[in-house]
């Protein structure tokens, strides 16, 4: 049992977000950690109600918490009432940038029956730069001579802090690190990443490292996922690779993430990789494992390492009992029944 109550902001969000968040919080309580939670109403529904995406005052309030647990935000697929980018740039990326959540940590363990069975690796995705930084713009928009540019921002500081985190993580794991990039084409950004990895590697002689082009990494992830331990990569490659990794490891409904501010200058944010999945919302069939796993990553970050380890162990046993399924659904048990089963295993 923990001695202090951690102050956690909860953004349930849209679709299945609140359902999976509820299970995650149920498991945290069952593991004996008493959280002091505050709910924040943000996401597509909020935007459609009053036009707010992330008010400045809300952002300032969020800075005061120890961690943020987020379910999922977004409108139903095909819905045009929320313009593309509104929530992505205005809420999710704004939180990542403003709170300096520079590591997006995404662990994968192959679920039995998936093609990733036996694999156990972590993707360290740079989370504040690259093509996500928003550099670029239009010239002569809407004319026949229109130009759109979208640059990739790679700073020495941004790349190095992410690479350092990845090497330190590899030290605590199987001591293998793979840089994934496209150095043969992205010769400027790729060169900076490669040189940085080489330099930081010199400080970690016990970590063996190699390099894969991102296209080849897609093949290896499907054909030999067990070759990976820690993958470090840029923001966009990491986004794409982790959806692929989720599918390989048993379905995106199992994929957790931690958006970390390792310097601890503010709260870190924990969220499942999957989206709001409005098609299955309210039916009680969403797979809560990704959200529960994300909550375990949160507890670990908060220093509740024993509770986190026990949840991870219960999760692994539960995943063993569930077959690999498609996005957030296809679990044989209901959302709450999965939560109950994990609580029982604790
Ligand atoms: C993710 C998501 C986000 C991303 C979107 C929703 C902005 O796909 O967390 O992987 O691209 O990073
Ligand atoms: Mn993504």
């Amino acid at each position: 049992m923990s001695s202090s109550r951690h102050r956690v902001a909860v953004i349930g969000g849209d679709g299945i977000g609140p359902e999976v968040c509820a299970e995650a919080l149920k498991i945290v309580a069952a593991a004996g950690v008493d959280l002091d939670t505050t709910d924040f109403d943000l996401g597509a529904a909020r935007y459609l109600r009053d036009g707010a995406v992330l008010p400045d005052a809300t952002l300032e309030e969020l800075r005061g918490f120890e961690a943020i647990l987020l379910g999922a935000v977004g409108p139903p697929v095909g819905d045009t009432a929320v313009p593309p980018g509104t929530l992505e740039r205005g809420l999710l990326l704004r939180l990542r940038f403003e709170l300096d959540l520079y590591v997006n940590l995404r662990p994968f363990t192959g679920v039995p029956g998936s093609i990733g069975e036996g694999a156990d690796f972590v993707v360290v995705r740079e989370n504040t730069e690259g093509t996500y930084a928003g550099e670029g713009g239009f010239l002569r928009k809407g004319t026949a001579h229109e130009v759109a540019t979208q640059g990739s921002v790679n700073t020495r500081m941004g790349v190095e802090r992410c690479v350092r985190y990845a090497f330190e993580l590899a030290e605590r794991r199987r001591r293998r690190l793979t840089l994934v990039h496209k150095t043969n084409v992205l010769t400027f950004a790729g060169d900076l990443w490669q040189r940085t990895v080489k330099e930081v590697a010199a400080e970690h002689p016990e970590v063996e490292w190699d390099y894969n082009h991102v296209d080849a990494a897609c093949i290896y992830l499907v054909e030999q996922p067990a070759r990976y331990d820690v993958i470090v990569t840029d923001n966009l490659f990491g986004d794409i690779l982790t959806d692929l990794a989720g599918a390989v490891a048993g379905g995106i409904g199992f994929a957790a993430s931690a958006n970390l501010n390792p310097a601890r200058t503010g709260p870190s944010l924990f969220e499942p990789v999957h989206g709001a999945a409005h098609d299955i919302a309210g039916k009680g069939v969403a797979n809560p494992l990704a959200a529960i796993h994300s909550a375990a990553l949160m507890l670990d970050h908060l220093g509740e390492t024993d509770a986190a380890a026990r949840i991870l162990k219960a999760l692994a046993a539960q995943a063993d009992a569930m077959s690999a399924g498609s996005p957030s659904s296809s679990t044989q048990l209901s959302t709450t029944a999965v939560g109950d089963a994990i609580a029982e295993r604790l």
Side-chain angles (χ1 to χ4, degrees), residues 21-269:
C21 258
E23 293 313 301
L25 291 171
K26 183 165 104 185
I27 298 307
V28 168
V33 179
D34 188 17
L35 298 180
D36 176 5
T37 61
T38 305
D39 287 318
F40 284 82
D41 178 16
L42 295 168
R46 167 77 190 271
Y47 172 77
L48 291 174
R49 212 172 52 249
D50 68 4
V53 177
L54 178 58
D56 291 344
T58 307
L59 173 62
E60 289 318 306
E61 212 185 324
L62 287 170
R63 286 188 202 280
F65 286 83
E66 281 177 78
I68 303 168
L69 183 67
L70 190 148
V73 297
V77 174
D79 189 303
T80 51
V82 185
T86 305
L87 296 171
E88 292 84 350
R89 287 227 162 260
L91 178 54
L92 294 173
L93 298 187
R94 185 153 180 240
L95 285 171
R96 290 177 189 175
F97 297 167
E98 290 276 3
L99 300 176
D100 209 15
L101 308 176
Y102 65 83
V103 164
N104 196 327
L105 189 73
R106 296 185 162 179
F108 298 92
T109 308
V111 171
S114 70
I115 60 170
E117 185 168 352
D120 177 27
F121 60 92
V122 181
V123 177
V124 175
R125 165 186 176 189
E126 200 292 320
N127 211 29
T128 55
E129 301 194 337
T131 44
Y132 277 66
E135 198 258 354
F138 291 108
L139 275 177
R140 302 186 288 265
K141 190 176 178 184
T143 73
H145 301 280
E146 179 165 5
V147 179
T149 64
Q150 192 98 48
S152 174
V153 175
N154 299 263
T155 70
R156 174 70 202 208
M157 179 276 291
V159 172
E160 187 176 325
R161 64 186 184 173
C162 175
V163 166
R164 277 191 192 287
Y165 183 92
F167 270 98
E168 282 159 22
L169 180 63
E171 291 256 15
R172 303 194 298 275
R173 292 179 48 98
R174 300 196 307 277
R175 303 184 172 197
R176 286 194 40 79
L177 178 143
T178 305
L179 167 65
V180 171
H181 209 282
K182 187 77 186 177
T183 55
N184 52 343
V185 174
L186 306 183
T187 50
F188 311 131
D191 188 68
L192 173 57
W193 273 86
Q194 185 121 38
R195 267 186 291 119
T196 305
V197 166
K198 254 186 210 159
E199 284 174 33
V200 177
E203 299 166 21
H204 296 273
E206 31 332 272
V207 176
E208 221 186 293
W209 75 276
D210 63 355
Y211 167 80
N212 291 165
H213 289 318
V214 64
D215 46 354
C218 289
I219 297 176
Y220 298 144
L221 261 182
V222 172
E223 291 188 350
Q224 323 160 26
R227 69 190 270 141
Y228 293 116
D229 179 17
V230 174
I231 291 175
V232 65
T233 192
D234 91 344
N235 210 338
L236 182 58
F237 294 145
D239 177 48
I240 299 165
L241 272 184
T242 54
D243 265 19
L244 178 62
V248 164
I252 205 77
F254 292 90
S257 82
N259 292 258
L260 299 173
N261 172 336
R264 294 180 185 263
T265 57
S268 290
L269 183 151

Side-chain angles (χ1 to χ4, degrees), residues 2-20:
S2 79
S3 49
S4 65
R5 293 179 86 204
H6 300 284
R7 293 189 64 235
V8 172
V10 178
I11 304 171
D14 305 305
I16 63 170
E19 300 169 35
V20 296

